[in-house]
């Protein structure tokens, strides 16, 4: 036993109490505005299907078409790896996992589109398509064929289409409730948001629906689609997207970047409208900073270069999509849009390669941190949280298996979640 240290203080307890009282409003604001990531599974992509084309077999059809594209243009791991420049040690495991994913869960998030991808329809036609979407989505969740996340993109809150968008949302949500209830994976997307007041209107609309149908207040959330310059920089020079998150009153779940509308809004020529354009990078960086800590996820946009035609053209489109997806992942945009079944193989290849090539190092660093064994990198608690989150995202999508993660980290799934933070209302992972 060493010498006991004498501890002395000079401040009265009332000083600490007074400071705490003065910061109580700030404490409440931090808790409300920055609750942290929800910890639930985030899909790696969103697939948009026009409302009139959505059918009971859409997800399976996309998976089958993606498999057919591989069979025709890259029938084995070596040929696919050669196209994308995958390392030899990744070729076989990634290709096998991609094919298994396309068989098991080809789409992680599907949005039935009643906006740009839908086109002009009569009111009667849109009513019928919205009601059908509700019926088919309810049936898919009931029979196990649904994607983990499904929902609709309605028309925006601009005056010309506002009433139609509200009615479509009402028809869809009412149809879900009449068919048995709102699924856990329900996602709604509000496009072309320009002013925070439009987000407030959406929050009010959902609150009124919940009240009308006796639902728990706050049950229904929605994504905000960023497609205009005004949603990034307001007229007064402030970041409008930050105000939009607050205007959602806790209902915002995501910020989705709209590559082509946003680029066109800034006058970018059609040939240069892409998710790696400097204008896109600026918009997404502002979105990312605004969303940090709020629990709102950021999603990248899409490429409109489709992998169709002769093999050489398909390979070019695959290389482009793979590169854009890897670029987004490195920038912490863990979700994007896919516009064609042929995009899905390169989406999953990019995602799986991203997690598998960094898996061993991340697992070793987390194990060293958990066991206090040190190493050549001095990680802090925030980095341990990031490492655990990285591994959990790899598990969610199917890039990693629980057994191999446990073997290299020495941590169970519950142990990983301790370091990553609580995972509330989680959905079934796509992995094993």
């Amino acid at each position: 036993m060493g010498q006991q240290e004498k501890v002395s203080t000079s401040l009265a307890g009332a000083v600490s109490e007074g400071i705490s009282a003065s910061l109580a409003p700030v404490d409440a604001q931090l808790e409300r505005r920055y609750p942290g990531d929800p910890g639930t599974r985030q899909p790696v992509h969103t697939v948009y299907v026009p409302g009139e084309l959505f059918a009971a077999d859409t997800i399976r059809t996309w998976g089958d078409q993606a498999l057919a594209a591989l069979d025709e243009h890259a029938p084995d791991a070596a040929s696919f790896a050669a196209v994308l420049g995958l390392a030899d040690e990744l070729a076989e495991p990634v290709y096998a996992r991609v094919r298994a994913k396309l068989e098991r869960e080809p789409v992680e998030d599907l949005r039935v589109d009643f906006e740009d991808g839908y086109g002009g329809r009569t009111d009667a036609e849109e009513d019928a398509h919205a009601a059908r979407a509700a019926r088919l989505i309810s049936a898919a969740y009931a029979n196990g064929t649904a994607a983990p996340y499904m929902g609709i993109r309605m028309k925006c809150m601009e005056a010309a289409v506002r009433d139609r968008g509200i009615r479509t949302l009402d028809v869809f949500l009412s149809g879900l409730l009449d068919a048995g209830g709102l699924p856990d994976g329900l996602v709604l997307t509000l496009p072309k948001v320009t002013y925070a007041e439009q987000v407030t209107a959406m929050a009010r609309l959902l609150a009124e629906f919940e009240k009308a149908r006796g639902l728990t207040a706050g049950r229904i959330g929605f994504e905000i689609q960023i497609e205009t310059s005004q949603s990034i920089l307001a007229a007064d020079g402030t970041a409008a997207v930050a105000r939009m998150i607050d205007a959602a009153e806790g209902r915002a779940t995501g910020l989705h970047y709209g590559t082509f509308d946003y680029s066109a809004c800034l006058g970018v020529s059609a040939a240069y409208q892409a998710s790696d354009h400097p204008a896109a990078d600026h918009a997404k960086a502002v979105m990312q900073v605004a969303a940090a800590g709020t629990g709102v996820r950021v999603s990248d946009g899409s490429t409109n270069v489709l992998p169709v035609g002769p093999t050489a053209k398909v390979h070019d489109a695959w290389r482009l999509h793979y590169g854009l997806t890897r670029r987004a992942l490195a920038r912490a945009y863990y979700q994007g849009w896919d516009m064609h079944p042929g995009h899905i193989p390169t989406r999953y290849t990019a995602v799986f390669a991203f997690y598998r090539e960094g898996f061993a190092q991340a697992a070793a660093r987390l194990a060293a941190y958990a066991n206090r064994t040190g190493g050549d990198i001095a990680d802090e608690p925030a980095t341990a949280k990031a490492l655990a989150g990285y591994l959990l995202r790899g598990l969610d999508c199917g890039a990693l298996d629980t057994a191999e993660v446990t073997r290299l980290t020495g941590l169970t799934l519950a142990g990983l979640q301790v370091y990553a933070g609580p995972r509330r209302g989680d959905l079934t992972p796509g992995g094993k």
Side-chain angles (χ1 to χ4, degrees), residues 43 55 188 351 387:
L188 307 173
V351 170
L387 291 167

Side-chain angles (χ1 to χ4, degrees), residues 139-162:
Y141 277 106
N143 63 28
T145 61
Y149 298 91
M150 298 184 76
I152 66 168
R153 177 170 71 168
M154 60 188 280
K155 290 177 172 62
C156 69
M157 284 290 178
E158 293 177 356
V161 295
R162 182 184 303 138

Side-chain angles (χ1 to χ4, degrees), residues 120-426:
R121 296 289 187 279
T122 67
D123 284 342
E125 287 175 319
E126 186 157 344
D127 280 352
H129 291 151
R132 182 181 67 181
R135 175 175 56 82
L136 293 178
I137 288 174
S138 291
Y141 277 106
N143 63 28
T145 61
Y149 298 91
M150 298 184 76
I152 66 168
R153 177 170 71 168
M154 60 188 280
K155 290 177 172 62
C156 69
M157 284 290 178
E158 293 177 356
V161 295
R162 182 184 303 138
D163 289 344
R164 181 62 257 182
I166 291 173
R167 179 173 175 84
T168 296
L169 181 66
D170 189 5
V171 170
F172 175 69
L173 292 177
S174 297
L176 288 176
L177 286 174
D178 293 344
L182 303 181
D184 290 339
L186 173 66
V187 187
L188 307 173
T189 305
L190 178 67
K192 292 183 174 59
V193 179
T194 305
Y195 285 87
E197 288 81 358
Q198 294 168 328
V199 176
T200 299
M202 181 66 168
R204 177 186 172 188
L205 175 63
L206 295 175
E208 290 293 337
F209 184 88
E210 289 164 351
K211 182 179 178 181
R213 295 302 295 257
L215 300 174
T216 303
R219 164 65 179 85
I220 309 173
F222 63 97
E223 301 166 338
I224 302 169
Q225 196 165 348
I226 304 301
E227 301 177 271
T228 66
S229 60
Q230 297 92 338
S231 60
I232 294 297
L233 191 68
D236 62 0
T238 59
V241 66
R243 292 207 300 272
M244 290 176 183
I245 293 173
D246 197 46
E249 300 174 359
R251 295 180 185 270
T253 59
L255 299 175
H256 283 228
Y257 176 68
T259 304
F260 304 103
D261 282 271
Y262 187 87
S263 299
C265 180
L266 268 63
V268 178
S269 299
Y272 298 96
Q273 292 177 359
S275 62
D276 59 351
H277 189 280
D281 285 341
H282 171 259
K284 287 179 287 188
V286 174
M287 292 162 59
Q288 190 174 47
V289 172
T294 66
V296 178
R297 271 81 173 263
V298 174
S299 173
D300 199 1
S302 61
T303 175
N304 59 359
V305 179
L306 305 183
V308 297
T311 295
K313 287 193 66 176
V314 171
H315 286 181
D316 286 343
W318 273 350
R319 278 188 286 267
L320 174 65
H321 185 247
Y322 176 84
L324 291 173
T325 303
R326 286 303 306 260
R327 184 180 189 272
L329 290 167
R331 286 159 174 75
Y333 307 132
Y334 298 114
Q335 184 175 355
W337 295 7
D338 289 327
M339 299 179 68
H340 188 275
H343 283 143
I344 302 180
T346 39
R347 169 70 61 182
Y348 289 132
T349 299
V351 170
F352 290 0
F354 175 76
Y355 289 112
R356 293 208 65 80
E357 69 186 19
F359 163 49
Q361 183 184 47
R365 287 176 64 179
L366 186 58
Y369 180 87
N371 296 321
R372 300 294 190 267
T373 56
D376 58 354
I377 300 177
D379 285 323
E380 297 186 358
T383 305
K385 182 175 182 178
L387 291 167
Y390 171 88
L391 296 173
L392 286 169
R393 283 193 297 272
L395 287 167
D396 283 343
C397 67
L400 307 175
D401 296 339
T402 302
E404 63 181 348
V405 172
T406 297
R407 184 174 67 252
L408 290 191
T409 63
L411 298 170
T412 63
L413 185 59
L416 277 178
Q417 292 170 352
V418 168
Y419 285 104
R423 290 162 68 81
R424 302 182 293 277
D426 205 4

Side-chain angles (χ1 to χ4, degrees), residues 3-193:
Q3 181 178 351
Q4 187 172 358
E5 294 291 341
K6 178 182 177 181
V7 177
S8 62
T9 63
S10 303
L11 297 175
V15 174
S16 178
E17 293 172 2
I19 289 176
S20 292
S22 70
L23 290 177
V26 172
D27 295 338
Q29 287 279 6
L30 284 171
E31 185 175 357
R32 181 181 71 83
R33 294 176 183 270
Y34 302 103
D37 189 88
T40 53
R41 176 183 179 183
Q42 182 179 11
V44 302
H45 70 167
T46 301
V47 163
Y48 278 74
V49 177
E52 77 277 15
L53 299 181
F54 177 60
D57 64 348
T58 292
I59 292 175
R60 186 63 264 152
T61 297
W62 273 60
D64 291 343
Q65 290 179 7
L67 286 165
L70 282 179
D71 290 340
E72 181 176 358
H73 303 293
D76 53 52
S79 59
F80 199 40
V83 172
L84 302 178
L86 282 182
D88 291 343
E89 64 271 18
L90 288 176
E92 287 288 350
V94 168
Y95 189 79
R97 284 173 183 273
V98 168
R99 293 196 68 98
K101 179 77 169 181
L102 296 175
E103 293 281 3
R104 180 183 70 251
E105 188 182 75
V107 175
E108 291 196 358
D109 183 26
L110 186 142
R111 206 73 70 251
V112 184
D113 193 13
F114 290 94
E115 205 236 353
D116 283 353
Y118 184 59
R121 296 289 187 279
T122 67
D123 284 342
E125 287 175 319
E126 186 157 344
D127 280 352
H129 291 151
R132 182 181 67 181
R135 175 175 56 82
L136 293 178
I137 288 174
S138 291
Y141 277 106
N143 63 28
T145 61
Y149 298 91
M150 298 184 76
I152 66 168
R153 177 170 71 168
M154 60 188 280
K155 290 177 172 62
C156 69
M157 284 290 178
E158 293 177 356
V161 295
R162 182 184 303 138
D163 289 344
R164 181 62 257 182
I166 291 173
R167 179 173 175 84
T168 296
L169 181 66
D170 189 5
V171 170
F172 175 69
L173 292 177
S174 297
L176 288 176
L177 286 174
D178 293 344
L182 303 181
D184 290 339
L186 173 66
V187 187
L188 307 173
T189 305
L190 178 67
K192 292 183 174 59
V193 179

